[in-house]
Amino acid sequence: MAGRRLPATGLRRRDQVAAARFACLPWYELPETRAAQDALWAIVARHMRRHGVADVPSRLTRGRPVAAMLADPGLLFGQCCGYDVVYGFGDCLTVLATPQYDAAGCEGSDYRSFILVRADSPAHTLGDLRGGTCVVNGFNSHSGTNALRALVAPLSRDGRFFAAVKVSGAHTDSLAMLQAGAADVMAVDCVVHALITRHRPDALAGTRILCRSDPAPAPPFVTALTTDAARLARLRAALADAFADDAAGAALKTLLLGGIAFRPATDYARIVACEAAALARGYMELHATSPALMR
């Protein structure tokens, strides 16, 4: 597999079969969406039990580090970045399904990143940002880093394009830095952009979309790699029923979820190819070892 493989914490534990089962939905979680997530989980859990899935938790787990949850063999149901299933947590996770979002930038179960600048930026194209400051949410993010890297790589010279690259830790923090003038450009997941547009429009004030990335499979719903084939089939059947359940309609609408697709995990190789093409050009700037990095 091409590209940089990110380390995961406490990864493979295939021999552990007694891990406590838990579910989490850390992706796209805002205080404004938690009630909808809880309502959706209650319906998903009910259908899981109806399909004979054992040890289904009643509530979503919150408050644990995301990396710890993705590496835990007790993970029954969760969501992660597509980058996680091809790199750092590829030996911990199995893709259950790919969500379909009703948001600008999404097509079927694909999504994109929006490249944002301040509204008063003189930039008309990405090339106009040469020598500027970029902020990314983290180097293990497809939407915040990998998608942007693919766009910038053909514009780079001797492996450089920006004067500095900063790491914020979250899309919302990157937005705040962009608004404050601490960065000139960022990439944001289009679903995050849609949720913030709905719930926190002030967080986008003074910014505009400069361009869009190529599409990639949306952040998948996942389960632990230790999940056997029979349980996988029951989980997928339960998910399909839950998303078709009229009782889930309000929660799905709040979360911008329009459905799910059962596509092969190999579709996420598009993310690998995206990174490999950029690195093959010698463009390492949007990388944790970049000399341009300013934390």
Side-chain angles (χ1 to χ4, degrees), residues 68-248:
M69 291 193 289
L70 296 182
D72 193 323
L75 178 64
L76 178 68
F77 179 75
Q79 189 175 17
C80 67
C81 181
Y83 209 81
D84 293 324
V85 297
V86 295
Y87 287 115
F89 297 91
D91 53 0
C92 296
L93 301 170
T94 294
V95 174
L96 276 174
T98 302
Q100 297 172 324
Y101 286 98
D102 292 327
C106 294
E107 301 168 5
S109 56
D110 280 353
Y111 81 135
R112 299 174 186 267
S113 294
F114 292 159
I115 313 307
L116 302 185
V117 295
R118 287 186 300 282
D120 61 0
S121 170
H124 296 290
T125 68
L126 197 55
D128 295 334
L129 292 164
R130 185 181 307 279
T133 296
C134 173
V135 60
V136 299
N137 57 325
F139 289 109
N140 61 340
S141 170
H142 172 71
S143 62
T145 302
N146 193 39
L148 178 60
R149 177 168 47 213
L151 294 176
V152 172
L155 305 173
S156 63
R157 297 172 184 167
D158 299 322
R160 297 292 296 273
F161 181 78
F162 296 113
V165 177
K166 301 180 180 182
V167 182
S168 71
H171 283 305
T172 50
D173 292 336
S174 293
L175 275 169
M177 291 175 66
L178 183 66
Q179 284 182 316
D184 301 306
V185 63
M186 64 171 287
V188 63
D189 176 328
C190 68
V191 180
V192 172
H193 192 272
L195 287 168
I196 292 176
T197 298
R198 173 181 290 184
H199 297 292
R200 303 178 186 176
D202 287 348
L204 290 167
T207 70
R208 61 180 171 90
I209 299 172
L210 179 70
C211 59
R212 302 180 178 198
S213 74
D214 289 335
F221 293 130
V222 293
T223 188
L225 192 67
T226 51
T227 304
D228 61 40
R231 182 184 282 260
L232 276 175
R234 290 193 291 270
L235 290 173
R236 286 173 176 147
L239 268 181
D241 287 352
F243 271 68
D245 192 328
D246 289 343

Side-chain angles (χ1 to χ4, degrees), residues 40-41 43-51 53 77 96-100 221 231-249 252 257-263:
L40 178 61
W41 174 246
I43 294 167
V44 171
R46 173 165 55 81
H47 284 284
M48 285 182 177
R49 296 185 190 103
R50 186 172 62 82
H51 279 277
V53 178
F77 179 75
L96 276 174
T98 302
Q100 297 172 324
F221 293 130
R231 182 184 282 260
L232 276 175
R234 290 193 291 270
L235 290 173
R236 286 173 176 147
L239 268 181
D241 287 352
F243 271 68
D245 192 328
D246 289 343
L252 293 174
L257 282 164
I260 50 174
F262 297 105
R263 53 196 295 180

